[in-house]
């Protein structure tokens, strides 16, 4: 079963650990006034780097984004929460699933949120010279 093939829950909830939380602002919009997909990918990449860096004990780099779906647009003023979940650790690489959930501005119920995108990232551990190293080796 893959990240994108999971069954729908009766009450969907974020999977993983809250890694990054921020506010979507006007400076992050595309020409149509929605938050840019590129901005969301950047936030996801930062969250994955934090999660991978904790696991690897140091510097990491993104080497692949295996799957990504955008489910709905993000509006200015939305609270954006990025969740990460470590799926696999190899010798030098880590596979991490990422979900982005938002609370839209002016929602009547402050606990209502929706998933707007998800992806699977592959990261590698790097040494101080930028060369690939073992995940659990010396940083």
């Amino acid at each position: 079963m893959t990240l994108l093939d999971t069954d729908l829950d009766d009450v969907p909830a974020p999977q993983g650990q809250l890694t990054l939380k921020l506010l979507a602002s006007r400076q992050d919009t595309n020409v149509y006034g929605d938050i840019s997909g590129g901005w969301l990918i950047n936030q996801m990449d930062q969250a994955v780097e934090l999660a991978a860096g904790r696991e690897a004990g140091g510097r990491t780099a993104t080497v692949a984004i295996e799957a990504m779906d955008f489910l709905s647009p993000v509006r200015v003023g939305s609270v954006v929460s990025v969740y990460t979940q470590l799926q696999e650790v190899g010798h030098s690489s880590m596979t991490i699933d990422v979900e982005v959930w938002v609370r839209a501005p002016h929602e009547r119920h402050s606990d209502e949120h929706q998933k707007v995108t998800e992806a699977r990232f592959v990261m590698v551990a790097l040494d101080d010279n930028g060369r690939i190293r073992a995940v659990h080796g010396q940083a």
Side-chain angles (χ1 to χ4, degrees):
M1 183 180 296
T2 67
L3 170 72
L4 302 176
D5 294 332
T6 56
D7 291 331
L8 295 176
D9 296 331
D10 290 339
V11 181
Q15 300 295 305
Q17 175 182 353
L18 178 61
T19 307
L20 190 62
K21 189 172 189 175
L22 58 154
L23 186 67
S25 66
R26 293 208 184 280
Q27 68 189 24
D28 306 317
T29 60
N30 60 24
V31 296
Y32 300 104
D34 292 318
I35 298 301
S36 145
W39 181 84
L40 279 174
I41 293 169
N42 183 47
Q43 304 316 312
M44 294 168 80
D45 192 53
Q46 287 183 34
V48 170
E49 280 195 35
L50 289 169
R54 280 193 300 265
E55 181 67 24
R59 187 175 173 192
T60 64
T62 304
V63 294
I65 301 174
E66 291 184 346
M68 179 171 281
D69 284 331
F70 289 99
L71 307 172
S72 64
V74 176
R75 296 177 30 208
V76 170
S78 295
V79 175
V80 178
S81 298
V82 185
Y83 294 82
T84 58
Q85 187 169 28
L86 183 68
Q87 292 299 321
E88 185 178 339
V89 177
H91 176 71
S92 59
S93 66
M94 295 154 280
T95 302
I96 301 173
D97 288 345
V98 187
E99 294 183 357
V100 178
W101 290 70
V102 298
R103 292 189 198 287
H106 314 298
E107 280 294 322
R108 291 177 197 225
H109 305 289
S110 63
D111 61 342
E112 285 187 18
H113 59 279
Q114 68 178 30
K115 182 167 41 171
V116 295
T117 189
E118 61 185 3
R120 177 165 284 165
F121 281 67
V122 178
M123 308 294 288
V124 293
L126 300 176
D127 66 16
D128 291 338
N129 297 316
R131 289 188 217 111
I132 294 174
R133 65 169 173 86
V135 170
H136 295 114
Q138 293 291 339

